[in-house]
Amino acid sequence: MLEAIFLGADQLFTFTTMLTMLVGVTVGVIAAAIPGFTITMAIVLTLPLTFTMPPLQGVATMLAVYIGGYTGGMISAALLGIPGTPSAVATTFDAYPMSRNGEPGRALALGIWASFFGTLVSTLVLIVAAPPLALIAVKLGAWEYFSLVIFALTIVASLVGRSMIRGLLAGLLGLLIATVGADPLMGVTRFTFDLRVLSAGIPFLVVLIGIYAVSQLLKEVENPDQVQQGRQLITGRIEFHPFAALREVLMNPINLLRSSMVGVFIGAVPGAGGSIANLLAYDQAKRGSRRPEDFGKGSSEGVIASESGNSATSGGGLIPMIALGIPGSAVDAVLMAALMVHGIGVGPRLIMDHADTVYGMFMAMFVAGAMMLVICLCSMRLFLKVTSIPKSIIVPVVLTCCLVGAFTLNNRVTDIYLLLGIGVVGYIMTKLDYPLAPLVLGVILGPIAETNLRRALMTNEDWTLFFTRPISAVLLGLAVISIVLAIRYHLRENRQKPQDA
């Protein structure tokens, strides 16, 4: 093992590899900060550039883009209220209110440090526990996946805001949106009402950008006087104290470790990804907090949980890929392709036949995390200048980026129409005090739940297997406990409101 570590270090720590990794982190941060340009897009565009590189250099460069992207999505989430990537949805819940309260520098610094520690923890777990965790992940069948999604859907109860009925209706609307278009198993078109614009379904990223970006931009320009006067999106001081934020993150060790472990586990489950980890880590942080009422108003605990949770999926996703040859996400599938292009077979023998490459990848994760930290801390003052740009300039620029991102997703003009339509729906929902997070959660988890439910029943029609298979039963039990605790919390909160009044 020591020989493999030294060989991996010898290949990794060269000037050209460090330079391409530095560029990769920078590209990942910038790409993910632009709404609509996802981490997967950045990785796919990077892949052809790595064909002429040595195997470890090419994979290390793509890992750098990967890790930079998980942090980059937080920047637009904190400063614009628009998640740059799906894995930054929960970051908007507290980072943006913190920025609107006059502390954008603190919001960014907390997110950067939380992302760094999330990456660090997940890489350590990856090195120590890759084989056993991968064996657990591969034993999950359709029954366990469905139960996991049901457990994740109980997060809706924590994200409903002031009215549980409105929150549940928003979540139901998200589930309905997810059913539009082609059936995920049979390919049969449904709920399109013979409209061409709906024939290909409503892509998740179009929903995400529309519901957060377009609706937020409409809110910003609803007062034309403020736009004409050159008002800014965020007013107040923009001090940036990175080491004060580091101290604040380290003062929340339980939240940080719990959120990171949630991210590792969700990342190790193939197909789950950072968007679920982001929301689940936030939900668990809220439930375990001594001050849950602060969540959604600029809570530092919420920012730490969401960012450490989504960044930890980077290491978690590599666990099944390295140990079993099963990609944990679309990005991991591209990394697998990069290894195979260089003649490296991916599977259970990867760590035995190419130990130097695997240990080099482990070290590349640490190096990319450190590079991300330095680049983001050094460039945050530049990003904070976004707060001084007038609405009349930033709104059309961001809207243009959103439209381009929606179009490039599938090269369909109809996606632009859907984006604008969903943006209007999101704007109306915010005006009627309906929360947006449950809708997004429904769109994310709906197809996964439907696909695995139908696969399970097609494999075996005995529905009791959902309750008799041990892991599935445990997950469903956790879902019931989660719902009971959420209802109890809301009832207690409603009783306290009249007393406070």
Side-chain angles (χ1 to χ4, degrees):
M1 186 178 73
L2 284 174
E3 184 182 357
I5 291 172
F6 287 128
L7 282 171
D10 184 56
Q11 296 174 48
L12 181 70
F13 293 105
T14 64
F15 176 76
T16 53
T17 303
M18 291 294 103
L19 181 62
T20 55
M21 285 185 67
L22 192 65
V23 173
V25 170
T26 307
V27 168
V29 171
I30 294 172
I34 302 172
F37 289 82
T38 63
I39 304 171
T40 306
M41 286 184 189
I43 288 282
V44 170
L45 292 173
T46 306
L47 177 61
L49 304 177
T50 65
F51 290 165
T52 58
M53 300 179 185
L56 183 56
Q57 182 184 353
V59 175
T61 303
M62 295 174 71
L63 285 172
V65 177
Y66 190 17
I67 290 171
Y70 270 118
T71 306
M74 174 269 302
I75 296 170
S76 56
L79 299 182
L80 303 175
I82 303 168
T85 62
S87 58
V89 170
T91 307
T92 59
F93 301 162
D94 282 291
Y96 188 58
M98 190 181 289
S99 296
R100 294 302 290 257
N101 292 337
E103 297 182 298
R106 179 177 169 227
L108 289 177
L110 286 171
I112 292 167
W113 283 110
S115 293
F116 170 70
F117 285 114
T119 303
L120 193 66
V121 170
S122 71
T123 306
L124 290 172
V125 174
L126 171 66
I127 295 170
V128 174
L133 279 176
L135 288 173
I136 293 172
V138 80
K139 287 181 180 178
L140 300 182
W143 299 269
E144 287 77 20
Y145 275 111
F146 176 76
S147 299
L148 175 64
V149 173
I150 293 299
F151 176 46
L153 278 170
T154 63
I155 299 171
V156 169
S158 295
L159 303 177
V160 293
R162 287 177 288 184
S163 170
M164 182 168 282
I165 298 297
R166 290 178 180 176
L168 294 176
L169 286 173
L172 181 61
L173 178 60
L175 291 172
L176 290 173
I177 289 173
T179 62
V180 175
D183 178 333
L185 289 182
M186 303 297 181
V188 178
T189 304
R190 58 191 183 177
F191 303 123
T192 60
F193 306 101
D194 291 328
L195 296 175
R196 183 171 172 270
V197 70
L198 297 176
S199 59
I202 305 176
F204 162 62
L205 281 172
V206 170
V207 175
L208 178 68
I209 301 167
I211 210 73
Y212 278 108
V214 177
S215 65
Q216 181 65 37
L217 295 176
L218 288 173
K219 282 175 62 180
E220 297 297 343
V221 299
E222 63 184 6
N223 188 337
D225 293 336
Q226 289 187 359
V227 178
Q228 292 174 2
Q229 292 168 8
R231 284 287 296 274
Q232 303 162 359
L233 286 176
I234 297 171
T235 56
R237 61 189 188 280
I238 58 169
E239 288 90 348
F240 181 52
H241 302 294
F243 294 105
L246 170 62
R247 186 165 55 250
E248 198 170 354
V249 171
L250 294 177
M251 289 295 287
N252 285 271
I254 295 175
N255 181 19
L256 183 65
L257 287 172
R258 179 182 57 227
S259 302
S260 298
M261 293 309 296
V262 167
V264 171
F265 176 75
I266 296 298
V269 176
S275 53
I276 297 177
N278 182 243
L279 289 159
L280 192 57
Y282 182 88
D283 173 69
Q284 295 304 307
K286 185 177 180 180
R287 293 173 190 269
S289 174
R290 294 179 180 177
R291 299 180 61 85
E293 67 277 4
D294 291 345
F295 279 66
K297 302 174 184 176
S299 168
S300 59
E301 292 180 77
V303 178
I304 293 168
S306 58
E307 278 305 301
S308 58
N310 72 31
S311 292
T313 58
S314 57
L318 292 178
I319 290 172
M321 188 195 88
I322 290 175
L324 301 165
I326 300 171
S329 66
V331 175
D332 297 317
V334 180
L335 289 172
M336 281 180 59
L339 287 169
M340 288 187 283
V341 164
H342 290 287
I344 297 175
V346 180
R349 293 193 57 83
L350 173 63
I351 200 164
M352 291 182 281
D353 296 340
H354 302 280
D356 55 336
T357 301
V358 172
Y359 282 103
M361 289 170 64
F362 293 160
M363 287 182 280
M365 294 280 288
F366 284 116
V367 173
M371 286 181 173
M372 176 277 295
L373 181 67
V374 172
I375 289 171
C376 288
L377 290 179
C378 291
S379 61
M380 279 305 100
R381 293 192 183 278
L382 179 63
F383 283 118
L384 283 170
K385 291 187 180 296
V386 170
T387 60
S388 62
I389 301 174
K391 292 182 181 181
S392 57
I393 296 175
I394 198 166
V395 168
V397 169
V398 173
L399 181 60
T400 301
C401 290
C402 293
L403 295 174
V404 171
F407 176 75
T408 54
L409 183 64
N410 294 301
N411 291 325
R412 291 197 300 253
V413 177
T414 52
D415 284 349
I416 296 177
Y417 303 146
L418 289 171
L419 175 77
L420 297 174
I422 291 169
V424 172
V425 170
Y427 175 72
I428 294 171
M429 287 179 66
T430 55
K431 284 298 174 183
L432 296 176
D433 202 24
Y434 279 78
L436 301 180
L439 184 148
V440 173
L441 190 66
V443 175
I444 295 172
L445 299 178
I448 304 174
E450 180 191 1
T451 300
N452 286 289
L453 175 62
R454 293 174 61 183
R455 279 179 181 166
L457 295 176
M458 287 167 66
T459 304
N460 191 321
E461 294 182 359
D462 185 5
W463 57 269
T464 60
L465 288 173
F466 290 103
F467 304 97
T468 56
R469 291 173 67 102
I471 297 177
S472 177
V474 168
L475 290 170
L476 289 176
L478 291 172
V480 172
I481 294 170
S482 177
I483 293 170
V484 170
L485 291 176
I487 293 173
R488 184 181 172 188
Y489 169 74
H490 278 280
L491 289 174
R492 187 174 69 245
E493 194 177 50
N494 290 334
R495 285 197 205 100
Q496 289 174 349
K497 281 178 183 177
Q499 294 174 4
D500 295 340

